[in-house]
Each structure stands twice: as structure tokens, then as C-alpha cells.
Amino acid sequence: MRIFHRARHRPSATWRQTTDRAFTLIGDGRYEDAGALLVMAADLEPWLSDSWFNLALLHKFRRDWDQARTAGLRAVALLDREHGAPDWWNLGITATALQDWSLARRAWQAYGLRLPGGGPLDGPVELDLGTTPVRLSPEGESEVVWGRRLDPARIEVLSIPLPSSGRRWGEVVLHDGAPHGERVTDGVAYPVFDEIELWAPSPVPTYVVLLQAATAGDRDALERLVADAGYAAEDWTSSVRLLCRACSESRMATDDGHTAHHDPHDDGDAAHPGHLSHLSQGSAGMSWLAERECGIAAPAGLVRTLLDRWVAASPATRAYRDLEEVC
């Protein structure tokens, strides 16, 4: 049997039917059954890169990274084009999950990305890819927050997530390559990537506190004070916006603090907003609410000190109560 330089051919009808059925099962969360079918498809067409790419995808969904790497390497070995194949991107995610940095570099470069020279080849890939939104815990209490892209597959969380997401400020999450939705700010659209799993935890706990801030300037002063200490505070009263899944995964404007937003799937209206509506405190006709729910990411021994310092700077306009660690 001649196994080298096999001519490219269309997969058989049986292969296509088996693969289609497998992905239907994946959509239903039946990974074990899907895996058996994808193994069958690989036996039917072992020289087809798609056979191994599909298996690599399944192993990624299952977070079985060693198996994903094995299948991914077989997929790229059978490719008939040099750059841009999703097989390489998927392998880059897998290599990043395993901290196999030499393979990650090889995958990103083979996909077509330019990586900076210098630095240890066995260390993490470090790129300046700017900020982007990421959807935390997409299969549970999902939440879209902002983060800094460290490389094509990792994002450091810069927002303070709500405790329901199970994530903290400063954590690094592994994310998928295909975006689900966009967030538009200052006329620029940013893709929303879905978290795959927690890549590096943060030791910094999350606290929630009720502030009495007479003005937006008082609130801003706390955020600056905590940031100057190297940590973060976020006014959840104005930054948290509840969206249905369809809108969260679509193109949505971010809240600029001055405009009203309405989810088209909400039954409410401007006069009687429903539970999915959001009206910024900066919107016309809205007065400032002195009581603010604020998230703070800071060490246990520092958070109360920072709050007391904030109050001491203007005790007539500032106060806090009900400080609680939530994550």
C-alpha cells in the first residue's frame, strides 16, 4: 500500500454521515458517544487531516489536552497548505494549555502569526495584543468582562468579575479562537472570546461593599486610590448590565456612562424598563444615586485600610458598610 503523497480526495459518504452525527452528539454534550464515531471516521479516512482535526476538537471540548495534542499533531502533518489552517490554531491553544511553549510558537508561526524574536524558546509566548472582552464561565453563569490579551490563547482579567462567575481579578484564562459576539466602544468593535478554562488563578480575593458616595467624583477617588495601590475597584452599580444570551453573543455597544441601553428581548420599555434593561446613571434625566455597590479586588489586610483612607479624605461625602469577601 502506498502511503506517501496520497492524492487529495473527497471523503466518503459514510465518513461525512459519521462525522455529522458525531457533531450532533457533541452539541448535545454526549462526548463519549461522539468520540466513538470520530474514531470510526478516522479509521475510515486515516489520511484525511479533517479526521484528526475533528478528534482534536473533541478532546479540546473534553479538556483532554494530551489527547488533543496527539490528534492535533497528526492533523497538521497531513495538511496540504502552509499557512492559515485552523488545525494550527487549535494546536496552539492545546500547546498553551499544556505550557508546551516550543509547540505553541511553532503552531502560531505556522498559522501565519509573526512572533517577536529573542527570549527563551521554552518560556511563555508574550505578545502585546491589547485589550478585549472575554466571556467567563460560558456554560454556567456567564459574564463578559474586559481583559488583556497575553497571546492568541490567554487573557488576563482586568475587570472585577461578579462572584457568580467563580473568577477573580488578575486571573489568566485560556480562551477559544472563534469569537461569539462583539462589544463596540468609541466606534471600535472588539471580538468576545469564550473562556475554555482557568489557566492561572489569582491570589487576590474579591470583596463587595456598599458605598455612600455623594458624587461621581467621590466614587472615582476610591477607584484611583485602589488602583494606585496596585489593585482594582469597580462600581458595579453602573458597570453591570444584564443581557439575554442572544444579545450577549451579538454586536452590542458598551456602556459609556451616558446612554440608555435596552435589550430587544426585554418586554419593558423606556417608561417601564424590564429586568433586562439598563439605564446608565449618566443618562439624561437620571440623578446620581449616592449608594453604590462596589467590587474591590485587594488583599484581606489592605481592603479596609484603603476604604478608611478614602473616607478620611472627605468624611462629609463618603462612607461604607457591609464589606464582605465574596470570591
Side-chain angles (χ1 to χ4, degrees):
M1 177 184 295
R2 187 178 183 184
I3 61 175
F4 297 107
H5 307 297
R6 180 180 173 89
R8 182 175 177 83
H9 68 283
R10 290 177 58 83
S12 67
T14 302
W15 183 93
R16 293 195 300 271
Q17 292 166 1
T18 302
T19 301
D20 289 346
R21 175 57 180 159
F23 276 93
T24 298
L25 293 173
I26 289 173
D28 294 337
R30 296 171 58 184
Y31 293 150
E32 293 297 329
D33 294 335
L37 290 176
L38 290 178
V39 168
M40 184 185 304
D43 288 339
L44 289 169
E45 300 283 359
W47 311 114
L48 189 66
S49 63
D50 286 353
S51 294
W52 303 103
F53 173 68
N54 292 337
L55 270 172
L57 278 180
L58 173 67
H59 294 313
K60 182 183 73 173
F61 297 151
R62 298 173 62 185
R63 316 298 188 256
D64 188 343
W65 298 115
D66 286 323
Q67 291 294 328
R69 176 169 54 186
T70 299
L73 286 169
R74 295 196 67 170
V76 298
L78 295 167
L79 287 174
D80 59 0
R81 56 175 167 151
E82 292 186 4
H83 298 296
D87 310 65
W88 283 113
W89 193 279
N90 202 56
L91 187 58
I93 294 174
T94 297
T96 302
L98 292 168
Q99 300 187 42
D100 185 344
W101 299 118
S102 61
L103 179 58
R105 282 181 170 81
R106 177 187 167 201
W108 301 135
Q109 289 173 328
Y111 184 80
L113 300 182
R114 294 177 61 87
L115 301 184
L121 296 180
D122 59 349
V125 177
E126 298 289 350
L127 299 174
D128 183 11
L129 299 178
T131 58
T132 198
V134 58
R135 182 174 290 102
L136 304 176
S137 303
E139 297 175 358
E141 295 289 333
S142 65
E143 176 184 1
V144 175
V145 300
W146 286 85
R148 180 170 67 94
R149 295 192 73 185
L150 305 178
D151 64 23
R154 292 182 300 149
I155 292 177
E156 178 187 12
V157 177
L158 299 179
S159 302
I160 303 178
L162 297 173
S164 57
S165 73
R167 295 286 173 259
R168 289 177 167 182
W169 171 85
E171 290 188 326
V172 177
V173 297
L174 189 74
H175 70 84
D176 222 336
H180 278 163
E182 292 180 333
R183 294 297 181 269
V184 181
T185 182
D186 295 329
V188 179
Y190 296 85
V192 180
F193 296 102
D194 284 351
E195 173 197 339
I196 297 176
E197 67 179 14
L198 178 63
W199 191 87
S202 169
V204 181
T206 302
Y207 290 84
V208 63
V209 63
L210 287 179
L211 304 179
Q212 289 294 322
T215 67
D218 289 309
R219 182 271 317 277
D220 295 344
L222 176 62
E223 292 182 348
R224 287 194 301 270
L225 179 66
V226 178
D228 289 344
Y231 299 99
E234 183 176 328
D235 180 7
W236 283 342
T237 297
S238 62
S239 68
V240 174
R241 179 183 176 194
L242 185 62
L243 297 173
C244 73
R245 178 175 293 274
C247 286
S248 178
E249 296 180 356
S250 67
R251 182 184 177 97
M252 299 294 294
T254 57
D255 183 11
D256 61 5
H258 300 284
T259 56
H261 297 287
H262 181 73
D263 189 316
H265 297 277
D266 196 333
D267 292 332
D269 54 36
H272 304 90
H275 73 286
L276 295 178
S277 296
H278 175 82
L279 192 64
S280 171
Q281 290 294 314
S283 303
M286 290 290 290
S287 60
W288 175 259
L289 297 178
E291 185 168 274
R292 322 291 298 177
E293 184 176 57
C294 181
I296 300 179
L302 182 62
V303 62
R304 195 175 292 275
T305 298
L306 291 171
L307 285 165
D308 289 342
R309 192 181 303 167
W310 172 71
V311 171
S314 182
T317 61
R318 303 174 187 173
Y320 74 89
R321 61 182 175 86
D322 298 342
L323 178 65
E324 179 185 3
E325 181 177 344
V326 291
C327 184

